[in-house]
């Protein structure tokens, strides 16, 4: 019985956290609160401290290790992660993959998408309107005809058929 109570309690916490995440202000409020602890004690100028360099075998070993900063030295080489055993192959693979990914993938893909033809006919109505205007100019018709349909072809109901129906124009 106690385990069921814990399970329900946990679900409540999870659902509560989800509802807080769905609120639009959740993106504006930082997830981590940064606290700045400021000391307001009096500064004592008569206190002095001397810093002596640390003398240990580890410090000497690290100092000797980091003295050599030559990037061409094999010990200082940091692999790109493609082929850690072969330095030249690692460099080549990294730059080749980055070229294909960034240059051809992103930039080439954006270029192709930008210059695709109108496959879904978003601009179809504009093209049709220009074609219709060109046809009307060529035939000597007015560009916009007030009678969209020829009035002689329209059959209106008689007064008897309309009866007392309200007509709103």
């Amino acid at each position: 019985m106690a385990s069921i109570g814990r399970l329900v309690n946990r679900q409540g916490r999870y659902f509560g956290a989800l509802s807080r995440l769905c609120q639009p202000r959740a993106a504006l409020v930082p997830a981590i609160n940064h606290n700045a602890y400021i000391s307001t004690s009096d500064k004592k100028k008569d206190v002095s401290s001397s810093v002596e360099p640390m003398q240990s075998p580890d410090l000497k070993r690290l100092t000797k290790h980091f003295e050599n900063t030559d990037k061409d030295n094999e010990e200082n080489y940091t692999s790109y992660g493609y082929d850690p055993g072969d330095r030249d192959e690692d460099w080549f693979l990294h730059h080749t993959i980055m070229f294909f990914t960034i240059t051809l993938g992103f930039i080439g893909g954006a270029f192709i998408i930008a210059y695709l033809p109108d496959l879904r006919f978003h601009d179809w109505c504009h093209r049709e309107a220009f074609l219709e205007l060109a046809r009307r100019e060529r035939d000597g018709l007015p560009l916009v005809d007030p009678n969209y349909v020829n009035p002689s072809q329209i059959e209106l109901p008689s007064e008897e058929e309309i009866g007392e129906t309200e007509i709103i124009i």
Side-chain angles (χ1 to χ4, degrees), residues 106-119 123:
F106 294 134
I107 297 172
F111 181 80
I112 289 170
I113 289 171
Y115 288 100
L116 275 177
D118 188 19
L119 297 177
D123 298 329

Side-chain angles (χ1 to χ4, degrees), residues 13-85:
R13 276 188 279 158
Y14 295 144
F15 292 133
L18 285 176
S19 67
R20 284 192 299 273
L21 289 176
C22 294
Q23 295 175 355
R25 69 176 195 82
L28 302 175
V29 178
I32 301 172
N33 293 333
H34 299 281
N35 297 327
Y37 300 107
I38 301 171
S39 173
T40 58
S41 62
D42 296 333
K43 305 291 182 210
K44 299 194 178 1
K45 295 183 180 181
D46 59 344
V47 176
S48 64
S49 64
S50 63
V51 178
E52 297 178 12
M54 185 172 73
Q55 299 295 329
S56 71
D58 290 336
L59 178 65
K60 289 179 184 177
R61 182 180 57 80
L62 289 173
T63 304
K64 183 181 179 205
H65 177 74
F66 288 109
E67 279 178 353
N68 183 6
T69 58
D70 182 22
K71 67 176 183 170
D72 295 329
N73 191 356
E74 194 65 35
E75 291 179 359
N76 296 333
Y77 175 68
T78 303
S79 172
Y80 291 107
Y82 297 102
D83 189 3

